[in-house]
């Protein structure tokens, strides 16, 4: 396996990653610092969407409560910061620990259900988190909480400054892609994918599918909490609004736009979503309507999302060869 | 004393007023092919589902290799060496034949909480899977997607997956279901090759196949086993002919 891309889609992804890697310099040269803000937010969401794709795309577990883990990650920065605890490692450990534990408990219950019930129960748990944070007067309740400084890390990996934070986000996003790529092609991933299509068969083959699906759910949640931790730092502000179920719905849309069960799908889906949202809202206040119609069209006609279209190019080229 | 690998005693299962399994006693000898025949709705698949752990019986006991497995989950029974194939083809359709069989091999190889090494690089697993595919004559189609091969080939894949689990016993639920004459003959040949090597409990509708394969036959009618004997004896048993053969040979 060489490092040279072998298909149209692979070339596209390689080019995209190259552009993302150079983005801060590119935007500086264009004198458009706002774009870096937009891209930072997009890549943070991409991490959340990549994590959601692991359970939704590969595992067939449609969670309508994934935004809860963004919220948990963000509050694991915000609440310590409220007490002047800015140690980044503490924030990181809290985000991973709390989200992992919460996912273990709620996943253990949710994964006893299937289909629509799973969707509803994951949504119920995330609404629970939403209302808990909403009721925490000490931490601003529905007004939210301002974070005055970023998580503190050693000098060489500091988050301070827009460019440094951007590279934090970019590198964590890259690591997420890499992690998922390893995971789904390893034994663990095969069991997850097999269980999505035919769970009784997997059990008949000797796999306790419940345990594997639960582990998958926990991994996904912990990864998503990293997005929350970054979002808290990026926005400098957290509120229960981050957790509402509508947010979770958006994450699902981003997965579908990009293409479920593909490595790069979530990344391009999220970027497309964020860019469209920004572009359309600049044109008209009724952008939600246009956006909605586009999404419906995509779901009806564009099976496989953007990744699916790119893969069609690959196939065409193979036929021509 | 002959050694019984599988011993079913006083197994009962009813759904409402219907006795799907009615006081079933069954003993399958090591290394033999034991067939269960019976008219539609006699409870054959329900019986297999209880043996494999998919359905819990109301009462009775199932011993496998000398110990009771009645409280084991489906996955645990599979790991103990009791492999089941399904009447309705049940494979992972979007995966290739090889990937399907590799899953079966993986199921035998300890836990799968292995997050890093790609499965496709696992030569040992690949070779084991290819060997099982070769046993059913599918090795030349290993990279075809399961959804795109013929029904008969999917049935063969079912058997290959069951074999790849290196089971002590195979529970085969109508392996010839929906097969043409040629495909059916091929399956008989495949199962014949396993004779003596594997203990098999076979549920099958195709009478010719059953008579040519089975060492022993049990006849299931309305959830109850009315006779268990050699193929010859069953053929000549009048009661059986009325209950079963009469139906399909009329």
């Amino acid at each position: 396996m060489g490092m040279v891309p072998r298909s149209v889609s692979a070339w596209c992804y390689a080019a995209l990653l190259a552009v993302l890697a150079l983005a801060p310099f590119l935007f500086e040269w264009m004198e458009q610092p706002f774009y870096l803000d937009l891209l930072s937010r997009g890549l943070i969401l991409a991490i959340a969407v990549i994590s959601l794709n692991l359970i939704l795309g590969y595992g067939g577990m449609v969670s309508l409560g994934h935004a809860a883990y963004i919220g948990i990650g963000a509050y694991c920065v915000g609440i310590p910061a409220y007490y002047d605890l800015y140690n980044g490692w503490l924030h990181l450990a809290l985000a991973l620990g709390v989200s992992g534990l919460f996912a273990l408990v709620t996943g253990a219950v949710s994964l006893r259900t299937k289909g629509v019930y799973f969707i509803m129960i994951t949504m119920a748990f995330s609404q629970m988190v939403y209302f808990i944070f909403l009721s925490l007067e000490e931490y601003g309740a529905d007004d939210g909480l301002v974070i005055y400084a970023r998580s503190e890390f050693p000098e060489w990996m500091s988050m301070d400054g827009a460019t440094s934070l951007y590279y934090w986000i970019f590198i964590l996003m890259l690591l997420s892609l890499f992690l998922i790529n390893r995971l789904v092609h390893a034994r663990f991933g095969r069991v997850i994918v097999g269980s999505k299509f035919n769970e009784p068969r997997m059990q008949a083959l000797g796999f306790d599918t419940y345990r594997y699906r639960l582990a998958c759910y926990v991994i996904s949640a912990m990864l998503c909490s990293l997005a929350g931790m970054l979002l808290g730092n990026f926005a400098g502000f957290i509120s229960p609004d981050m957790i509402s179920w509508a947010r979770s719905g958006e994450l699902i849309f981003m997965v579908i736009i990009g293409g479920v069960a593909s490595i790069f799908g979530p990344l391009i889906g999220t970027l497309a979503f964020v860019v469209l949202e920004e572009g359309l809202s600049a044109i008209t206040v009724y952008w939600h309507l246009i956006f909605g119609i586009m999404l419906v069209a995509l779901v009806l006609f564009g099976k496989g999302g953007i990744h699916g279209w790119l893969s069609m190019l690959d196939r065409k080229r193979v036929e021509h060869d | 004393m002959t050694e019984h690998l599988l011993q079913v005693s006083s197994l009962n299962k009813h759904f409402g007023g219907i006795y799907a399994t009615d006081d079933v006693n069954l003993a399958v000898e090591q290394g033999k092919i034991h067939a269960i025949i019976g008219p539609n709705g006699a409870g054959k698949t329900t019986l297999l589902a209880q043996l494999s752990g998919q359905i819990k019986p109301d009462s009775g006991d199932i011993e496998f290799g000398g110990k009771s497995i009645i409280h084991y989950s489906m996955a645990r029974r599979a790991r103990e060496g009791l492999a089941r194939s399904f009447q309705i083809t049940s494979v992972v359709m979007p995966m290739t034949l090889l990937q399907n069989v590799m899953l079966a091999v993986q199921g035998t190889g300890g836990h799968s909480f292995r997050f890093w090494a790609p499965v496709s690089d696992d030569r040992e697993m690949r070779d084991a899977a290819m060997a099982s595919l070769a046993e059913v004559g599918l090795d030349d189609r290993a990279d075809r997607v399961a959804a795109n091969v013929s029904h008969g080939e999917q049935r063969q894949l079912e058997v290959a997956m069951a074999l790849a689990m290196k089971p002590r016993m195979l529970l085969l639920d109508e392996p010839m279901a929906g097969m043409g004459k040629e495909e059916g003959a091929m399956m008989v040949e495949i199962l014949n090759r396993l004779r003596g090597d594997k203990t098999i409990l076979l549920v099958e509708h195709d009478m010719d196949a059953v008579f040519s394969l089975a060492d022993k036959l049990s006849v299931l009618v309305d959830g109850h086993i009315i006779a268990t004997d050699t193929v010859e004896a069953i053929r000549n048993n009048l009661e059986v002919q009325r209950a079963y053969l009469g139906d399909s040979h009329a």
Side-chain angles (χ1 to χ4, degrees), chain A:
Chain A
M1 289 239 243
M3 292 299 285
V4 181
R6 282 165 302 173
S7 62
V8 179
S9 59
W11 275 107
C12 291
Y13 297 139
L16 176 65
L17 289 184
V19 169
L20 291 179
L22 299 173
F25 305 102
L26 221 58
F27 294 146
E28 198 179 338
W29 175 68
M30 291 163 69
E31 292 174 3
Q32 295 281 5
F34 167 71
Y35 285 172
L36 191 63
D37 258 25
L38 186 66
L39 194 58
S40 296
R41 195 163 63 83
L43 291 188
I44 289 172
L45 282 175
I47 296 174
V49 177
I50 288 166
S51 77
L52 177 61
N53 185 43
L54 175 63
I55 53 170
L56 188 153
Y58 289 102
M61 297 171 257
V62 182
S63 163
L64 191 49
H66 222 54
Y69 298 105
I70 297 184
I72 288 174
Y75 272 87
C76 283
V77 176
I79 293 177
Y82 180 74
Y83 297 107
D84 286 329
L85 293 167
Y86 287 104
N87 187 317
W89 301 114
L90 173 75
H91 295 171
L92 203 60
L94 270 177
L96 292 172
V98 174
S99 63
L101 207 62
F102 186 74
L104 186 67
V105 174
T106 60
V109 178
S110 308
L111 287 168
R112 298 271 174 207
T113 67
K114 290 259 143 50
V116 153
Y117 300 99
F118 182 79
I119 296 177
M120 297 317 287
I121 200 166
T122 50
M123 180 179 135
F125 277 126
S126 81
Q127 286 300 90
M128 213 173 77
V129 177
Y130 173 76
F131 284 110
I132 287 174
F133 285 129
L134 201 62
S135 67
L136 291 176
E137 294 291 345
E138 184 69 18
Y139 307 118
D142 59 338
D143 289 336
L145 200 61
V146 175
I147 302 170
Y148 291 100
R150 295 207 168 132
S151 304
E152 281 168 4
F153 284 98
E155 184 63 35
W156 66 272
M157 54 185 293
S158 163
M159 273 184 176
D160 295 331
T163 305
S164 304
L165 184 60
Y166 175 82
Y167 279 113
W168 252 91
I169 297 165
F170 176 66
I171 288 168
L172 277 183
M173 192 279 300
L174 270 188
L175 287 176
S176 309
L177 287 179
F178 183 62
L179 174 80
I180 300 294
N181 188 34
R182 297 300 301 212
L183 219 64
V184 299
H185 291 110
R187 288 183 178 223
F188 180 77
R190 283 290 176 93
V191 177
I192 293 302
V193 173
S195 304
K196 166 186 171 179
F197 291 109
N198 198 340
E199 194 174 0
R201 184 37 146 161
M202 295 301 289
Q203 288 168 352
L205 289 178
F207 299 106
D208 290 313
T209 52
Y210 175 76
R211 287 166 54 200
Y212 292 100
R213 286 160 72 90
L214 182 55
C216 184
Y217 186 76
V218 171
I219 292 170
S220 163
M222 291 170 76
L223 187 56
C224 191
S225 77
L226 291 183
M229 188 226 166
L230 292 171
L231 191 61
N233 273 294
F234 169 75
F237 171 74
I238 52 174
S239 81
D241 194 44
M242 307 163 89
I243 307 169
S244 77
W245 67 273
R247 291 263 142 203
S248 299
E250 282 177 7
L251 297 180
I252 295 182
F253 264 130
M254 294 179 206
V255 173
I256 293 172
I257 294 174
V260 292
S262 63
I263 299 295
F264 283 95
L267 172 61
I268 39 178
T270 310
L271 292 179
F273 189 101
V274 170
V275 168
L276 269 179
E277 187 182 50
E278 198 61 39
L280 288 176
S281 62
I283 299 168
T284 162
V285 286
Y286 303 111
W287 67 273
H288 277 113
L289 181 67
I290 306 173
F291 202 38
I293 294 171
M294 289 172 79
L295 288 176
V296 170
L298 188 90
V299 171
L300 283 179
F301 307 113
K303 283 203 170 167
I306 301 174
H307 174 79
W309 304 337
L310 287 174
S311 309
M312 273 190 305
L313 292 178
D314 297 348
R315 233 164 290 149
K316 281 215 181 91
R317 209 178 68 147
V318 170
E319 280 161 22
H320 282 297
D321 283 348

Side-chain angles (χ1 to χ4, degrees), chain A residues 182 185 187 198 201 206 212, chain B residues 79 90 106 112 116 119 158:
Chain A
R182 297 300 301 212
H185 291 110
R187 288 183 178 223
N198 198 340
R201 184 37 146 161
Y212 292 100
Chain B
R79 291 197 298 269
S90 180
Q106 189 182 324
S112 285
W116 212 244
V119 173
E158 278 276 345

Side-chain angles (χ1 to χ4, degrees), chain B residues 91 97 100-101 138 146 153-161:
Chain B
V91 298
L97 306 190
N100 266 286
V101 183
L138 284 177
E153 286 165 337
Q154 287 173 357
R155 304 298 305 165
Q156 283 164 257
L157 175 61
E158 278 276 345
V159 176
M161 288 170 80

